[in-house]
């Protein structure tokens, strides 16, 4: 469970192991995954990258068999580690964030997280494809929901009504659309993407002030993304799933803090 204030929710963690449950086995697998990241530029999010990561740890290339989901296990590891790094960075910058407006605190969290995929941007379309695959969607969307909550938490969100849910649903959709925008962004330092984030923050803040209906929140996020990314219309179902997921019956969603 993750506990923040008076609310908590269940986190399903992916353990990178097959038959071994020892700490040594988990450490070995984590080391392989970590080492494999530097091979993504050449091999993509694939078993080939995992095989190279195994070789870096003085293991045979066939050690990639320790990861039954292949390239997705590598993507999942990267996303999970990036979310943890983001939480650490936001915590360390608490004093700086306090002096910002709410919209800027949220935007800062999104921008920091997006910057982590910068080194892998040429291979990120493949990562998105793996994350959105039906077999991986449940695990991927839980990571996305946790990311949205992490950003709002460090932004100092104190809402106690239904907007607690709608804010996180909208932010999940905005983050997803920002990633898609980034994949086609050729500006220096992804300046166009960062400007895109700023525009979407205005939409979120304005919407959260006047709208409380979750269904409307989902439609708004998808429409915002569709207007901004006409070339990615085929991703509308993914965006809708990302925004709607925290409201589905099968999701162990967090409870808003009580008054």
């Amino acid at each position: 469970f993750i506990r923040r204030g008076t609310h908590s929710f269940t986190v399903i963690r992916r353990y990178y192991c097959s038959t071994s449950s020892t700490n040594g086995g988990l450490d070995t697998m984590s080391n392989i995954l970590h080492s494999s990241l530097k091979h993504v530029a050449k091999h993509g999010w694939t078993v080939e990258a995992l095989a190279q990561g195994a070789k870096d740890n003085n293991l045979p290339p066939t050690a990639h068999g320790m990861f039954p989901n292949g390239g997705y296990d590598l993507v999942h590891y990267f996303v999970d580690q990036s979310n943890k790094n983001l939480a650490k960075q936001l915590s360390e910058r608490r004093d700086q964030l306090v002096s910002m407006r709410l919209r800027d605190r949220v935007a800062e969290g999104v921008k920091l997280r997006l910057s982590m995929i910068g080194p892998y941007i040429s291979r990120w379309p493949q990562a998105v494809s793996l994350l959105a695959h039906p077999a991986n969607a449940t695990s991927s969307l839980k990571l996305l929901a946790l990311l949205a909550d992490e950003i709002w938490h460090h932004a100092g969100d104190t809402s106690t009504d239904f907007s607690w849910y709608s804010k996180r649903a909208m932010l999940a959709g905005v983050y997803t659309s920002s990633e898609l925008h980034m994949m086609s962004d050729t500006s220096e330092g992804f300046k166009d993407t960062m400007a895109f984030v700023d525009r979407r923050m205005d939409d979120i803040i304005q919407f959260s002030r006047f709208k409380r209906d979750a269904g409307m929140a989902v439609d708004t996020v998808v429409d915002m993304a569709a207007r901004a990314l006409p070339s990615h219309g085929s991703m509308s179902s993914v965006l809708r799933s990302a925004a709607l997921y925290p409201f589905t019956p099968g999701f162990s969603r967090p409870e808003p803090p009580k008054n």
Side-chain angles (χ1 to χ4, degrees), residues 6-7 157-165 167-168 212 255-259:
T6 57
H7 68 284
D157 178 43
T158 58
S159 58
T160 59
D161 53 16
F162 197 79
S163 68
W164 191 92
Y165 296 107
K167 287 177 182 178
R168 284 152 178 78
R212 300 300 175 91
E255 293 298 326
K258 303 182 185 300
N259 291 318

Side-chain angles (χ1 to χ4, degrees), residues 2-9 87 146 149-151 153-154 257:
I2 288 180
R3 298 187 181 276
R4 292 193 176 136
T6 57
H7 68 284
S8 63
F9 57 99
L146 290 171
D149 182 62
E150 198 71 62
I151 292 174
H153 168 67
H154 286 283

Side-chain angles (χ1 to χ4, degrees), residues 167-254:
K167 287 177 182 178
R168 284 152 178 78
M170 287 187 290
L171 184 58
V174 167
Y175 179 81
T176 302
S177 62
S178 298
E179 273 197 357
L180 295 176
H181 190 283
M182 191 172 177
M183 289 191 293
S184 59
D185 185 359
T186 58
S187 64
E188 182 180 358
F190 302 107
K191 291 181 180 178
D192 289 348
T193 298
M194 302 311 158
F196 174 86
V197 171
D198 287 332
R199 293 193 297 273
R200 300 289 76 79
M201 288 305 105
D202 290 333
D203 291 337
I204 284 185
I205 297 302
Q206 292 175 15
F207 185 83
S208 63
R209 286 174 180 169
F210 302 107
K211 305 295 183 182
R212 300 300 175 91
D213 179 74
M216 187 177 293
V218 172
D219 290 337
T220 298
V221 169
V222 175
D223 290 343
M224 283 162 42
R227 288 198 303 270
L229 299 166
S231 63
H232 291 287
S234 62
M235 295 297 292
S236 62
S237 61
V238 176
L239 296 176
R240 183 173 297 275
S241 296
L244 185 61
Y245 190 69
F247 303 98
T248 56
F251 178 63
S252 299
R253 69 188 185 187

Side-chain angles (χ1 to χ4, degrees), residues 70-144:
Y72 178 68
D73 280 339
L74 183 55
V75 177
H76 188 285
Y77 171 81
F78 170 75
V79 173
D80 182 54
Q81 292 299 306
S82 295
N83 289 350
K84 291 175 180 176
N85 290 338
L86 175 66
K88 180 181 179 181
Q89 289 187 38
L90 292 176
S91 180
E92 292 173 346
R93 300 174 65 172
R94 181 178 305 173
D95 293 341
Q96 177 185 348
L97 293 172
V98 169
S99 64
M100 297 180 179
R101 294 178 299 168
L102 176 61
R103 69 171 301 286
D104 294 331
R105 294 196 295 269
V106 176
E108 186 69 9
V110 173
K111 291 175 182 179
L112 280 173
R113 182 60 180 80
L114 288 171
S115 70
M116 296 177 188
I117 69 174
Y120 306 94
I121 195 63
S122 65
R123 294 289 189 172
W124 201 246
Q126 181 188 18
V128 170
S129 178
L130 288 168
L131 289 165
H133 191 281
N136 305 324
T138 298
S139 179
S140 300
L141 289 171
K142 284 177 179 174
L143 285 175
L144 181 60

Side-chain angles (χ1 to χ4, degrees), residues 32-55:
I32 292 174
L33 289 164
H34 180 75
S35 298
S36 299
L37 290 177
K38 64 176 175 283
H39 299 288
V40 168
K42 180 177 181 180
H43 298 286
W45 305 92
T46 63
V47 294
E48 286 78 11
L50 288 168
Q52 292 300 316
K55 290 174 66 177

